[in-house]
Amino acid sequence: MDSPVNSPVPPVKVVVVVASVRAGRLAPDVAGWFTSVAGVRDDLVLDVVDVADHELPGSLDASDPVAADLRPRLSVAEAFVLIAPEYNRSVPGPLKTLIDSFQAEWEAKPVGFVSYGLSLAGGVRAVEHLRQIFAEFHAVGMKDAVLFPRILEHYDAQGRFPAEPEGAEAAAKLLLDQLLWWARALRDAKSVRPYGS
């Protein structure tokens, strides 16, 4: 029998939330790139929740049937990564509705951010708002984010994204390393004492 030191560590369950629902959105390109980078790792398993594929809850009632349908996927997550554009210096409205429709599903879990925008800010203002929002849910926002300023300049002449992947991949690795450290630390802590007890 393996000793605890030699026991294999289960991969971290990471839910990637694709947060834009607009026609012509770029979020699927960014999400596709990110999941391809993350998907080669053997220390995590991914589940992608695209907000555009889900009707949003009509109320913040915990028994709302739409929220109930999505709750199992969010509940089993040990960490989250949000693929979120910056709209009008903040977050997309549908994403805020989705976040506010859940509570315990976010608690004591790490959240990473991949953001982009048309301006030089590159989504940083959306990320700052998301950090504040998730703090209200007792989630842990990662310090380092993946940002794409002037997003349209990150496509090459053939429409491939990102045009220069090296820097973006390094940023994604840093984000994922932080995210998984926190996910494992919180997993261990909650195995000893459930959060809030």
Side-chain angles (χ1 to χ4, degrees):
M1 184 165 121
D2 287 339
S3 69
V5 173
N6 295 326
S7 296
V9 177
V12 173
K13 300 180 186 78
V14 179
V15 167
V16 175
V17 179
V18 184
S20 174
V21 302
R22 287 184 173 179
R25 64 196 179 131
L26 304 177
D29 295 340
V30 181
W33 163 79
F34 181 80
T35 55
S36 70
V37 171
V40 301
R41 298 177 63 131
D42 60 6
D43 51 2
L44 59 82
V45 290
L46 295 174
D47 179 21
V48 178
V49 172
D50 191 333
V51 178
D53 294 337
H54 298 275
E55 181 184 354
L56 291 170
S59 73
L60 300 184
D61 189 325
S63 64
D64 186 292
V66 177
D69 186 51
L70 195 51
R71 182 166 284 112
R73 292 173 69 184
L74 301 183
S75 295
V76 300
E78 297 176 286
F80 298 94
V81 175
L82 274 65
I83 312 292
E86 180 178 306
Y87 291 162
N88 301 319
R89 294 176 176 255
S90 191
V91 303
L95 173 60
K96 184 64 164 63
T97 298
L98 178 77
I99 295 169
D100 290 345
S101 298
F102 300 93
Q103 178 82 38
E105 291 74 16
W106 311 120
E107 285 181 352
K109 297 177 184 179
V111 185
F113 309 103
V114 178
S115 190
Y116 59 93
L118 294 175
S119 74
L120 274 174
V124 70
R125 293 169 293 207
V127 170
E128 288 303 311
H129 287 174
L130 286 166
R131 286 195 182 108
Q132 294 173 357
I133 293 164
F134 276 103
E136 288 297 307
F137 291 97
H138 301 243
V140 182
M142 297 299 93
K143 176 187 180 294
D144 291 293
V146 181
L147 302 172
F148 292 99
R150 292 184 170 169
I151 182 68
L152 297 179
E153 296 178 7
H154 290 274
Y155 287 83
D156 67 15
Q158 288 73 43
R160 291 185 295 251
F161 176 89
E164 298 178 1
E166 293 80 8
E169 287 175 6
K173 180 184 184 305
L174 179 60
L175 168 63
L176 287 167
D177 288 346
Q178 290 180 5
L179 189 81
L180 297 191
W181 187 94
W182 276 101
R184 293 190 198 102
L186 290 167
R187 175 199 281 169
D188 292 345
K190 288 182 283 189
S191 72
V192 174
R193 179 173 305 191
Y195 182 74
S197 64

